[in-house]
Amino acid sequence: MEFFKNKVAIVTGGAQGIGRCIADEFRKAGANVCVIDKQPGEHFVGDIADKLVLERFADEVISKYGHVDFIVNNALPLMKGIDSCTYEEFQYALSVGVTAPFYLTKLFAPHLAEGAAVVNISSSRDRMSQPQTESYTAAKGGIAALTHALAVSLAGKARVNSISPGWIDTNYTVYEGPDAIQQPAGRVGNPMDIANMVLYLCSDKAGFITGENICIDGGMTRQMIYHADNGWTLETTKEQ
């Protein structure tokens, strides 16, 4: 934990859920944490879809600390599907999920400290989908691809990796039965599963890892589930 003492960590969407857990773990490790979130609180409040908000946030961080060690692009994009998602809503989802991580990294690039790291939070939806989730899925697929592009462009300045969480219950609910055993790990994930990997990827222990996407989903995307597998049954209805 001494590694993180007095380092400067940026966490977008860090006021709740996975982002809050990541920010808390950085603080416990001794880092100075700068959170930006739309939710009111004792952090920089603003919508990261707004270019001027990002610029003001970056100016505030640099004026206070002079450099940045870690950037965690975590803020959640809007999730709407092709039936209901408007052009403007889809653009907004991409602004939050792809454009903001790109621009924030660009703003901080001249101020990255030696050994800097960027961690982008993607999703297992970057490789699988439910119906009517196009805006979110496109944004998460975009940030996964942005990760390896940034890793190459920032070579020698920062390592850049992404994490694709699967089912993460931010209330730490313990599930049993089919909900749990559809994951080979035997349980639903929680925010600490993601925060632990974020801190690892930012540490010197991960010094040879860059441009990588790590899926943390308990194996859910590796297990095929058919009728009668793992407690799941196919229910059909007949019209009367």
Side-chain angles (χ1 to χ4, degrees):
M1 289 299 182
E2 284 295 317
F3 176 82
F4 293 103
K5 190 173 182 180
N6 298 322
K7 299 287 180 70
V8 179
I10 307 299
V11 183
T12 70
Q16 58 189 336
I18 292 172
R20 180 173 181 176
C21 183
I22 293 168
D24 286 345
E25 291 305 302
F26 270 124
R27 291 188 188 102
K28 290 176 187 176
N32 298 302
V33 182
C34 303
V35 167
I36 181 170
D37 199 294
K38 288 198 303 182
Q39 180 175 305
E42 296 180 0
H43 52 262
F44 190 102
V45 178
D47 187 344
I48 67 170
D50 188 328
K51 176 176 180 282
L52 295 179
V53 167
L54 293 174
E55 291 172 351
R56 289 198 299 270
F57 174 62
D59 286 344
E60 181 175 298
V61 172
I62 297 306
S63 65
K64 184 173 183 179
Y65 295 107
H67 73 279
V68 169
D69 295 279
F70 315 117
I71 304 171
V72 182
N73 291 304
N74 164 80
L76 285 174
L78 178 73
M79 183 187 288
K80 294 192 76 173
I82 194 167
D83 288 353
S84 64
C85 188
T86 65
Y87 179 90
E88 291 76 16
E89 287 171 330
F90 194 85
Q91 287 288 90
Y92 180 75
L94 294 182
S95 292
V96 171
V98 182
T99 307
F102 164 77
Y103 193 53
L104 199 59
T105 304
K106 179 179 175 68
L107 290 170
F108 284 126
H111 309 284
L112 292 171
E114 183 178 354
V118 179
V119 179
N120 297 320
I121 305 301
S122 182
S123 168
S124 60
R125 294 173 188 270
D126 63 8
R127 67 204 67 190
M128 59 191 298
S129 292
Q130 290 176 301
Q132 303 302 322
T133 61
E134 279 76 14
S135 66
Y136 186 92
T137 299
K140 291 304 186 180
I143 199 170
L146 177 65
T147 295
H148 56 74
L150 286 173
V152 173
S153 295
L154 295 178
K157 295 187 67 175
R159 292 179 299 100
V160 187
N161 294 287
S162 62
I163 296 172
S164 291
W167 183 356
I168 304 295
D169 191 292
T170 57
N171 293 317
Y172 294 85
T173 304
V174 176
Y175 293 82
E176 298 180 352
D179 285 339
I181 62 176
Q182 68 173 303
Q183 280 106 174
R187 65 174 176 86
V188 171
N190 64 65
M192 281 300 299
D193 293 315
I194 309 306
N196 285 335
M197 181 57 73
V198 169
L199 266 68
Y200 172 74
L201 289 173
C202 288
S203 75
D204 55 353
K205 294 180 180 179
F208 199 54
I209 303 175
T210 192
E212 188 58 74
N213 174 274
I214 300 171
C215 187
I216 302 179
D217 69 344
M220 188 175 182
T221 55
R222 297 304 189 193
Q223 178 162 259
M224 298 177 69
I225 298 179
Y226 287 94
H227 174 59
D229 286 345
N230 296 296
W232 291 98
T233 56
L234 176 65
E235 294 183 2
T236 59
T237 58
K238 294 182 180 180
E239 292 184 2
Q240 300 297 322

Short mmCIF file of all heavy atoms in Angstrom, two decimals, residues 50-88:
data_model
loop_
_atom_site.label_atom_id
_atom_site.label_comp_id
_atom_site.label_asym_id
_atom_site.label_seq_id
_atom_site.Cartn_x
_atom_site.Cartn_y
_atom_site.Cartn_z
N ASP A 50 -19.90 17.10 -21.06
CA ASP A 50 -19.67 18.52 -21.36
C ASP A 50 -18.16 18.79 -21.43
O ASP A 50 -17.45 18.64 -20.43
CB ASP A 50 -20.33 19.38 -20.29
CG ASP A 50 -20.30 20.86 -20.61
OD1 ASP A 50 -19.34 21.32 -21.26
OD2 ASP A 50 -21.23 21.57 -20.19
N LYS A 51 -17.68 19.20 -22.59
CA LYS A 51 -16.25 19.47 -22.80
C LYS A 51 -15.72 20.50 -21.81
O LYS A 51 -14.62 20.34 -21.25
CB LYS A 51 -16.05 19.96 -24.23
CG LYS A 51 -14.64 20.38 -24.61
CD LYS A 51 -14.59 20.75 -26.09
CE LYS A 51 -13.20 21.20 -26.53
NZ LYS A 51 -12.95 22.59 -26.11
N LEU A 52 -16.47 21.56 -21.56
CA LEU A 52 -16.01 22.62 -20.66
C LEU A 52 -15.91 22.12 -19.22
O LEU A 52 -15.03 22.54 -18.47
CB LEU A 52 -16.94 23.82 -20.74
CG LEU A 52 -16.96 24.55 -22.08
CD1 LEU A 52 -17.94 25.72 -22.05
CD2 LEU A 52 -15.57 25.03 -22.47
N VAL A 53 -16.80 21.22 -18.83
CA VAL A 53 -16.74 20.63 -17.49
C VAL A 53 -15.45 19.84 -17.32
O VAL A 53 -14.76 19.94 -16.30
CB VAL A 53 -17.97 19.72 -17.24
CG1 VAL A 53 -17.77 18.85 -15.99
CG2 VAL A 53 -19.23 20.56 -17.07
N LEU A 54 -15.10 19.05 -18.32
CA LEU A 54 -13.86 18.28 -18.27
C LEU A 54 -12.65 19.21 -18.16
O LEU A 54 -11.70 18.93 -17.41
CB LEU A 54 -13.73 17.40 -19.51
CG LEU A 54 -14.75 16.25 -19.63
CD1 LEU A 54 -14.58 15.56 -20.97
CD2 LEU A 54 -14.60 15.26 -18.50
N GLU A 55 -12.67 20.28 -18.91
CA GLU A 55 -11.54 21.22 -18.88
C GLU A 55 -11.42 21.90 -17.52
O GLU A 55 -10.31 22.07 -17.01
CB GLU A 55 -11.70 22.24 -20.00
CG GLU A 55 -11.51 21.63 -21.39
CD GLU A 55 -11.87 22.58 -22.51
OE1 GLU A 55 -12.43 23.67 -22.23
OE2 GLU A 55 -11.59 22.24 -23.69
N ARG A 56 -12.55 22.28 -16.93
CA ARG A 56 -12.51 22.90 -15.61
C ARG A 56 -12.02 21.92 -14.55
O ARG A 56 -11.24 22.28 -13.67
CB ARG A 56 -13.90 23.45 -15.23
CG ARG A 56 -14.33 24.68 -16.02
CD ARG A 56 -15.46 25.42 -15.34
NE ARG A 56 -16.65 24.60 -15.19
CZ ARG A 56 -17.62 24.54 -16.10
NH1 ARG A 56 -17.55 25.24 -17.22
NH2 ARG A 56 -18.69 23.78 -15.89
N PHE A 57 -12.47 20.69 -14.67
CA PHE A 57 -12.04 19.65 -13.72
C PHE A 57 -10.54 19.42 -13.83
O PHE A 57 -9.82 19.39 -12.82
CB PHE A 57 -12.80 18.36 -13.99
CG PHE A 57 -12.35 17.18 -13.18
CD1 PHE A 57 -12.46 17.19 -11.79
CD2 PHE A 57 -11.82 16.05 -13.79
CE1 PHE A 57 -12.04 16.10 -11.04
CE2 PHE A 57 -11.41 14.96 -13.05
CZ PHE A 57 -11.52 14.99 -11.66
N ALA A 58 -10.05 19.28 -15.04
CA ALA A 58 -8.62 19.05 -15.24
C ALA A 58 -7.80 20.23 -14.71
O ALA A 58 -6.77 20.03 -14.06
CB ALA A 58 -8.33 18.82 -16.72
N ASP A 59 -8.26 21.44 -14.98
CA ASP A 59 -7.55 22.63 -14.49
C ASP A 59 -7.49 22.64 -12.96
O ASP A 59 -6.44 22.98 -12.38
CB ASP A 59 -8.24 23.91 -14.97
CG ASP A 59 -8.01 24.18 -16.45
OD1 ASP A 59 -7.09 23.56 -17.03
OD2 ASP A 59 -8.76 24.99 -17.02
N GLU A 60 -8.59 22.25 -12.32
CA GLU A 60 -8.64 22.24 -10.86
C GLU A 60 -7.66 21.21 -10.29
O GLU A 60 -6.94 21.49 -9.33
CB GLU A 60 -10.06 21.95 -10.38
CG GLU A 60 -10.20 21.95 -8.87
CD GLU A 60 -11.64 21.76 -8.41
OE1 GLU A 60 -12.48 22.63 -8.74
OE2 GLU A 60 -11.92 20.74 -7.73
N VAL A 61 -7.64 20.03 -10.88
CA VAL A 61 -6.74 18.97 -10.40
C VAL A 61 -5.28 19.38 -10.56
O VAL A 61 -4.48 19.26 -9.63
CB VAL A 61 -7.01 17.64 -11.15
CG1 VAL A 61 -5.94 16.61 -10.79
CG2 VAL A 61 -8.40 17.11 -10.82
N ILE A 62 -4.94 19.89 -11.73
CA ILE A 62 -3.54 20.25 -11.99
C ILE A 62 -3.10 21.44 -11.15
O ILE A 62 -1.96 21.48 -10.65
CB ILE A 62 -3.31 20.51 -13.49
CG1 ILE A 62 -3.57 19.24 -14.29
CG2 ILE A 62 -1.90 21.01 -13.74
CD1 ILE A 62 -2.78 18.02 -13.83
N SER A 63 -3.99 22.40 -10.95
CA SER A 63 -3.63 23.55 -10.12
C SER A 63 -3.40 23.14 -8.67
O SER A 63 -2.58 23.75 -7.98
CB SER A 63 -4.72 24.62 -10.20
OG SER A 63 -5.93 24.16 -9.63
N LYS A 64 -4.08 22.08 -8.24
CA LYS A 64 -3.93 21.63 -6.85
C LYS A 64 -2.75 20.69 -6.67
O LYS A 64 -2.00 20.79 -5.69
CB LYS A 64 -5.22 20.95 -6.39
CG LYS A 64 -5.20 20.54 -4.91
CD LYS A 64 -6.55 20.03 -4.45
CE LYS A 64 -6.53 19.68 -2.97
NZ LYS A 64 -7.87 19.21 -2.50
N TYR A 65 -2.56 19.77 -7.60
CA TYR A 65 -1.54 18.72 -7.42
C TYR A 65 -0.37 18.80 -8.40
O TYR A 65 0.69 18.23 -8.12
CB TYR A 65 -2.19 17.34 -7.52
CG TYR A 65 -3.18 17.06 -6.41
CD1 TYR A 65 -4.54 17.06 -6.66
CD2 TYR A 65 -2.74 16.80 -5.11
CE1 TYR A 65 -5.46 16.80 -5.64
CE2 TYR A 65 -3.64 16.55 -4.08
CZ TYR A 65 -5.00 16.55 -4.35
OH TYR A 65 -5.90 16.31 -3.35
N GLY A 66 -0.57 19.41 -9.54
CA GLY A 66 0.52 19.56 -10.50
C GLY A 66 0.78 18.36 -11.38
O GLY A 66 1.49 18.47 -12.38
N HIS A 67 0.21 17.21 -11.03
CA HIS A 67 0.42 16.01 -11.84
C HIS A 67 -0.69 15.01 -11.55
O HIS A 67 -1.49 15.21 -10.62
CB HIS A 67 1.77 15.36 -11.52
CG HIS A 67 1.79 14.67 -10.18
ND1 HIS A 67 1.96 15.34 -9.00
CD2 HIS A 67 1.62 13.37 -9.85
CE1 HIS A 67 1.92 14.49 -7.99
NE2 HIS A 67 1.71 13.28 -8.48
N VAL A 68 -0.73 13.94 -12.34
CA VAL A 68 -1.70 12.86 -12.15
C VAL A 68 -0.95 11.54 -12.28
O VAL A 68 -0.12 11.37 -13.17
CB VAL A 68 -2.84 12.93 -13.19
CG1 VAL A 68 -3.69 11.67 -13.16
CG2 VAL A 68 -3.71 14.15 -12.95
N ASP A 69 -1.27 10.60 -11.39
CA ASP A 69 -0.66 9.27 -11.46
C ASP A 69 -1.58 8.24 -12.09
O ASP A 69 -1.12 7.38 -12.84
CB ASP A 69 -0.28 8.81 -10.04
CG ASP A 69 0.79 9.67 -9.42
OD1 ASP A 69 1.98 9.46 -9.73
OD2 ASP A 69 0.45 10.58 -8.63
N PHE A 70 -2.87 8.32 -11.76
CA PHE A 70 -3.81 7.29 -12.23
C PHE A 70 -5.11 7.94 -12.70
O PHE A 70 -5.62 8.86 -12.07
CB PHE A 70 -4.14 6.31 -11.10
CG PHE A 70 -2.93 5.84 -10.33
CD1 PHE A 70 -2.80 6.13 -8.98
CD2 PHE A 70 -1.92 5.13 -10.96
CE1 PHE A 70 -1.69 5.72 -8.27
CE2 PHE A 70 -0.81 4.71 -10.26
CZ PHE A 70 -0.69 5.01 -8.90
N ILE A 71 -5.63 7.44 -13.81
CA ILE A 71 -6.92 7.87 -14.32
C ILE A 71 -7.81 6.64 -14.44
O ILE A 71 -7.44 5.68 -15.13
CB ILE A 71 -6.80 8.55 -15.70
CG1 ILE A 71 -5.82 9.72 -15.65
CG2 ILE A 71 -8.17 9.01 -16.19
CD1 ILE A 71 -5.49 10.29 -17.03
N VAL A 72 -8.95 6.67 -13.78
CA VAL A 72 -9.91 5.57 -13.88
C VAL A 72 -11.19 6.12 -14.52
O VAL A 72 -11.94 6.89 -13.90
CB VAL A 72 -10.23 4.95 -12.51
CG1 VAL A 72 -11.20 3.78 -12.67
CG2 VAL A 72 -8.95 4.49 -11.82
N ASN A 73 -11.42 5.75 -15.77
CA ASN A 73 -12.61 6.19 -16.50
C ASN A 73 -13.73 5.19 -16.25
O ASN A 73 -13.79 4.12 -16.87
CB ASN A 73 -12.28 6.29 -17.99
CG ASN A 73 -11.34 7.43 -18.29
OD1 ASN A 73 -11.61 8.57 -17.96
ND2 ASN A 73 -10.21 7.12 -18.91
N ASN A 74 -14.62 5.54 -15.32
CA ASN A 74 -15.61 4.60 -14.81
C ASN A 74 -17.05 5.02 -15.07
O ASN A 74 -17.95 4.18 -15.03
CB ASN A 74 -15.39 4.42 -13.30
CG ASN A 74 -16.57 3.79 -12.60
OD1 ASN A 74 -16.75 2.58 -12.64
ND2 ASN A 74 -17.40 4.61 -11.96
N ALA A 75 -17.32 6.29 -15.35
CA ALA A 75 -18.70 6.79 -15.40
C ALA A 75 -19.56 5.98 -16.37
O ALA A 75 -19.13 5.62 -17.47
CB ALA A 75 -18.70 8.27 -15.79
N LEU A 76 -20.80 5.75 -15.95
CA LEU A 76 -21.72 4.90 -16.72
C LEU A 76 -22.41 5.67 -17.84
O LEU A 76 -23.00 6.73 -17.60
CB LEU A 76 -22.79 4.32 -15.81
CG LEU A 76 -22.40 3.18 -14.87
CD1 LEU A 76 -23.57 2.86 -13.95
CD2 LEU A 76 -21.98 1.95 -15.65
N PRO A 77 -22.40 5.15 -19.06
CA PRO A 77 -23.20 5.75 -20.13
C PRO A 77 -24.66 5.33 -20.03
O PRO A 77 -25.01 4.38 -19.33
CB PRO A 77 -22.56 5.19 -21.40
CG PRO A 77 -21.96 3.89 -20.99
CD PRO A 77 -21.56 4.05 -19.54
N LEU A 78 -25.50 6.04 -20.73
CA LEU A 78 -26.93 5.74 -20.79
C LEU A 78 -27.17 4.40 -21.46
O LEU A 78 -26.50 4.06 -22.44
CB LEU A 78 -27.62 6.86 -21.59
CG LEU A 78 -29.13 6.75 -21.83
CD1 LEU A 78 -29.88 7.04 -20.54
CD2 LEU A 78 -29.54 7.75 -22.92
N MET A 79 -28.15 3.63 -20.94
CA MET A 79 -28.50 2.36 -21.58
C MET A 79 -29.92 2.43 -22.13
O MET A 79 -30.89 2.42 -21.39
CB MET A 79 -28.40 1.18 -20.59
CG MET A 79 -28.68 -0.17 -21.26
SD MET A 79 -28.79 -1.56 -20.12
CE MET A 79 -27.08 -1.76 -19.65
N LYS A 80 -30.01 2.54 -23.44
CA LYS A 80 -31.30 2.48 -24.13
C LYS A 80 -31.12 1.71 -25.43
O LYS A 80 -30.02 1.62 -25.97
CB LYS A 80 -31.84 3.89 -24.42
CG LYS A 80 -32.19 4.68 -23.17
CD LYS A 80 -32.98 5.94 -23.47
CE LYS A 80 -34.42 5.63 -23.80
NZ LYS A 80 -35.23 6.87 -23.93
N GLY A 81 -32.23 1.16 -25.93
CA GLY A 81 -32.16 0.30 -27.10
C GLY A 81 -32.66 0.95 -28.38
O GLY A 81 -33.17 2.08 -28.38
N ILE A 82 -32.55 0.21 -29.45
CA ILE A 82 -32.85 0.75 -30.77
C ILE A 82 -34.31 1.19 -30.91
O ILE A 82 -34.63 2.09 -31.68
CB ILE A 82 -32.47 -0.27 -31.88
CG1 ILE A 82 -32.46 0.41 -33.24
CG2 ILE A 82 -33.37 -1.50 -31.81
CD1 ILE A 82 -31.81 -0.42 -34.32
N ASP A 83 -35.21 0.58 -30.15
CA ASP A 83 -36.62 0.95 -30.26
C ASP A 83 -36.93 2.32 -29.66
O ASP A 83 -37.83 3.01 -30.12
CB ASP A 83 -37.51 -0.10 -29.57
CG ASP A 83 -37.57 -1.40 -30.36
OD1 ASP A 83 -37.04 -1.45 -31.49
OD2 ASP A 83 -38.15 -2.38 -29.83
N SER A 84 -36.19 2.69 -28.60
CA SER A 84 -36.54 3.93 -27.89
C SER A 84 -35.43 4.97 -27.85
O SER A 84 -35.68 6.14 -27.54
CB SER A 84 -36.94 3.60 -26.45
OG SER A 84 -35.85 3.03 -25.74
N CYS A 85 -34.20 4.59 -28.17
CA CYS A 85 -33.08 5.51 -28.04
C CYS A 85 -33.07 6.51 -29.20
O CYS A 85 -33.05 6.13 -30.37
CB CYS A 85 -31.76 4.73 -28.03
SG CYS A 85 -30.31 5.74 -27.66
N THR A 86 -33.08 7.79 -28.86
CA THR A 86 -33.03 8.82 -29.89
C THR A 86 -31.59 9.03 -30.36
O THR A 86 -30.63 8.57 -29.73
CB THR A 86 -33.56 10.15 -29.36
OG1 THR A 86 -32.68 10.63 -28.33
CG2 THR A 86 -34.97 9.99 -28.79
N TYR A 87 -31.45 9.76 -31.44
CA TYR A 87 -30.12 10.11 -31.95
C TYR A 87 -29.33 10.85 -30.87
O TYR A 87 -28.16 10.56 -30.62
CB TYR A 87 -30.27 11.00 -33.18
CG TYR A 87 -28.96 11.46 -33.78
CD1 TYR A 87 -28.31 10.71 -34.76
CD2 TYR A 87 -28.37 12.66 -33.36
CE1 TYR A 87 -27.10 11.13 -35.30
CE2 TYR A 87 -27.16 13.09 -33.91
CZ TYR A 87 -26.54 12.33 -34.87
OH TYR A 87 -25.35 12.75 -35.40
N GLU A 88 -29.99 11.81 -30.23
CA GLU A 88 -29.33 12.61 -29.20
C GLU A 88 -28.92 11.77 -28.00
O GLU A 88 -27.84 11.97 -27.43
CB GLU A 88 -30.24 13.76 -28.76
CG GLU A 88 -30.47 14.84 -29.79
CD GLU A 88 -31.45 14.42 -30.90
OE1 GLU A 88 -32.19 13.42 -30.71
OE2 GLU A 88 -31.46 15.10 -31.95
#
